[in-house]
Amino acid sequence: MKEVRTRFAPSPTGDLHIGGARTALFNWLLARQSKGKFILRIEDTDVARSTQESIQVILDAMKWLGMDWDEGPFFQTQRLSLYQEAAHKLLKEGKAYRCYCSPEELEAKRDRALKIGIKPKYDRTCLGRKSFPLEKPFAIRFLSPDEGSTVVEDLIQGRVEFDNSELDDLIILRSDGLPTYNFSVVIDDVTMEITHVIRGNDHLNNTPRQIQIYQALGSPLPKFGHVPMILGPDKKKLSKRHGAQSVMEYKRLGYLPQAVVNYLVRLGWSYGDQEEFTLKELIEKFGLEAVGKSPAAINPSKLDWLNAQYIKRMELDELVQRVLPFIEAKGYLINDLNLLRKVSLSLRERVKTLVEMAEVGGFYFCEEISYDEDSAQKFLRAESMAVLEQIIASLSKEAFLDKERTYRLIKQLSENRGEPLLKIAQPIRVALTGKTASPPIDEVMETLGKDKVIKRLQKAMEYIQKSK
């Protein structure tokens, strides 16, 4: 059997969109499952919009997701001679022709067609030309068959038939020597020996044109598969109002790459009722036959749930390294990785993202606690002084703190004072975290350690004194 060769060919005009990332993943999984090759190609012939920054963002996003490539990245701007040579070969063989029509002339033809209610196809003014102006630049047009139909045997959408009379004589090489998309993509796929072209469903209408070019070149067709679009939760076209759209946005929001991969692959692909997959399982179980024909709607709550599962199960040392940049981004200087380990262990069961972990756990790393105004007014009052003094006295007698010991001390203080546990715990909580909501107070105290706990309780007492 011929080696499977798939490709991902983004245009570097912006961030890597999640739709593009999913397409890349489908191609990558197909190649890895079949022990074939995955090729990365950058389609940068739109010189006005392509940027080096976008190229780097695409490469970074793919590396973050764990998608390695076997060949490339190739750049179309470095392959222009291939397209020009192929276009002139078709021209020589009578399968293409010179077009001298100016953009203004073409626009006028289009306007006339629309006014009389016919499809604005090129009218082949230049097909029968006998003389060729030497000084005037020309584009090269592909001579498309007028009769019959072109059939796409799509691996996902099924058989799709296009009437050739509806197709235009498209320009394959512009007058400036740059190829058009439909031509360059075929030349690239032929020369790179791509066996499977898996891409978004928005390219399906381009496929019959490309098939005709393959046939004119005498090249074998790859297998085509067109993946349905990704929609917003409201089943409408994905837009900014739906939240994150690019891979690196998900990274900035604190999602793990493993969770994003799992989530994206499951948008449109299924394997029974299974929701969670390791990368190894995805490679083993992925197949285009299980990709649906209908558009898939994003489900942010599903991604949150998945990410939470990955956070819970991640090796602690890796989790520490993953969350560290998010903690530092909040302005905290981390000198004690052991404390960060304790915090990560404490919070991993309670958060959905790394950003949430940094926000919830930020108080652990503060040099000075900033009190929420409402919380301080309610719980750091004169009547709380005795509670804070007594808990400091109890803590000072202990060699170290753990959850059981801390809980026992607070409960004992509650019983001795004849007051509810909440009335004892909340002033302590605000003193240690600055807020009324936090992880369990005994866990907070164990994580901070005896010295920091006593120091923060003393600071809270100073605050109360100054507030009188």
Side-chain angles (χ1 to χ4, degrees), residues 40-51:
L40 177 60
R41 184 171 78 224
I42 306 296
E43 298 188 341
D44 59 344
T45 51
D46 186 348
V47 179
R49 296 174 60 218
S50 298
T51 67

Side-chain angles (χ1 to χ4, degrees), residues 330 347 351 355-364 435 438-439:
K330 294 185 74 66
L347 298 180
V351 298
V355 165
E356 187 182 358
M357 184 177 280
E359 288 171 350
V360 172
F363 69 87
Y364 282 112
K435 299 172 285 190
S438 77

Side-chain angles (χ1 to χ4, degrees), residues 404-421:
E404 294 75 16
R405 194 178 305 242
T406 302
Y407 177 76
R408 189 183 71 246
L409 292 175
I410 295 173
K411 189 169 186 294
Q412 192 173 37
L413 182 57
S414 167
E415 291 170 354
N416 291 345
R417 291 178 60 86
E419 294 176 340
L421 199 61

Side-chain angles (χ1 to χ4, degrees), residues 200-421:
N201 204 28
D202 52 331
H203 286 291
L204 181 56
N205 286 336
N206 289 323
T207 307
R209 300 175 183 277
Q210 293 171 14
I211 287 175
Q212 290 180 359
I213 295 172
Y214 275 102
Q215 291 168 339
L217 292 168
S219 299
L221 294 180
K223 293 180 179 179
F224 292 98
H226 290 86
V227 180
M229 306 302 287
I230 297 177
L231 303 177
D234 55 3
K235 306 295 176 68
K236 293 182 180 177
K237 186 177 179 181
L238 199 58
S239 67
K240 289 182 179 178
R241 73 179 184 277
H242 295 123
Q245 295 184 76
S246 76
V247 171
M248 299 314 270
E249 277 183 279
Y250 282 119
K251 181 182 180 183
R252 288 189 288 272
L253 290 170
Y255 292 98
L256 297 171
Q258 302 95 316
V260 175
V261 165
N262 194 151
Y263 174 68
L264 288 179
V265 174
R266 283 286 288 108
L267 283 174
W269 174 82
S270 61
Y271 188 84
D273 295 327
Q274 188 172 343
E275 291 289 350
E276 297 177 66
F277 297 85
T278 64
L279 199 55
K280 183 181 177 186
E281 285 178 315
L282 284 174
I283 292 170
E284 289 173 353
K285 297 176 178 179
F286 179 77
L288 292 174
E289 67 281 353
V291 175
K293 293 183 181 182
S294 303
I298 61 169
N299 184 344
S301 61
K302 175 65 70 65
L303 176 57
D304 285 344
W305 176 82
L306 266 175
N307 205 58
Q309 306 312 306
Y310 279 92
I311 286 176
K312 287 175 188 175
R313 293 196 300 269
M314 179 168 276
E315 289 289 334
L316 186 57
D317 286 341
E318 184 181 353
L319 181 58
V320 166
Q321 292 306 313
R322 294 274 188 187
V323 78
L324 179 59
F326 293 92
I327 300 282
E328 291 177 333
K330 294 185 74 66
Y332 303 123
L333 186 63
I334 307 299
N335 294 318
D336 186 356
L337 277 180
N338 191 46
L339 174 60
L340 183 51
R341 283 175 62 85
K342 290 180 182 177
V343 172
S344 300
L345 191 60
S346 167
L347 298 180
R348 65 188 306 164
E349 299 283 339
R350 300 186 175 91
V351 298
K352 296 186 289 290
T353 69
L354 299 177
V355 165
E356 187 182 358
M357 184 177 280
E359 288 171 350
V360 172
F363 69 87
Y364 282 112
F365 308 100
C366 294
E367 289 298 321
E368 294 287 337
I369 286 293
S370 175
Y371 305 117
D372 172 72
E373 189 175 336
D374 290 341
S375 301
Q377 285 182 2
K378 189 172 182 181
F379 294 105
L380 296 186
R381 301 162 60 92
E383 53 265 34
S384 301
M385 285 289 283
V387 170
L388 298 180
E389 283 176 348
Q390 289 168 3
I391 196 67
I392 287 173
S394 298
L395 292 170
S396 299
K397 297 173 185 176
E398 301 294 332
F400 63 92
L401 297 184
D402 57 28
K403 286 175 66 173
E404 294 75 16
R405 194 178 305 242
T406 302
Y407 177 76
R408 189 183 71 246
L409 292 175
I410 295 173
K411 189 169 186 294
Q412 192 173 37
L413 182 57
S414 167
E415 291 170 354
N416 291 345
R417 291 178 60 86
E419 294 176 340
L421 199 61

